[in-house]
Amino acid sequence: MSVDAFVLAQVTDRERWNAFVTASAHGHFFQSWEWGLLQDGLGGAPTRLAAIEGDAIVGAVQLLRFGGARTFTYVPRGPVVDPARPDFLALLSGA
């Protein structure tokens, strides 16, 4: 299956995000909604993107963007995707 069948979208539903990260064998607390909230309080604005097939999240990445003298984006322990699906990995890595 090709990534052409999937949509990359921003996720704003905390429960849906955490359900996917928690259920994934490759999920990590650093990709949880709560970790993003903590980092937001420390200056790392979270953006949560997901590869979506139909109504299901099939891959996800939480990007933390830090500003200041130098701006950088950090993806702690992510993306959350099955490594057997390099198409999703490529899609989320290019986000």
Side-chain angles (χ1 to χ4, degrees):
M1 188 172 286
S2 157
V3 294
D4 294 337
F6 304 93
V7 175
L8 185 62
Q10 190 164 350
V11 177
T12 57
D13 182 332
R14 179 185 197 150
E15 289 181 21
R16 184 178 184 202
W17 181 269
N18 279 341
F20 175 77
V21 171
T22 301
S24 174
H26 304 286
H28 192 278
F29 177 73
F30 288 173
Q31 285 291 306
S32 72
W33 195 278
E34 289 72 20
W35 185 255
L37 290 177
L38 175 69
Q39 293 303 309
D40 193 27
L42 299 173
T47 300
R48 299 170 186 93
L49 300 174
I52 300 174
E53 177 184 28
D55 289 333
I57 296 176
V58 292
V61 61
Q62 177 167 243
L63 308 158
L64 302 173
R65 186 171 187 262
F66 292 86
R70 293 183 183 219
T71 299
F72 67 95
T73 301
Y74 176 53
V75 180
R77 303 288 187 199
V80 180
V81 63
D82 182 351
R85 292 302 308 263
D87 48 350
F88 295 140
L89 186 58
L91 175 68
L92 294 170
S93 295

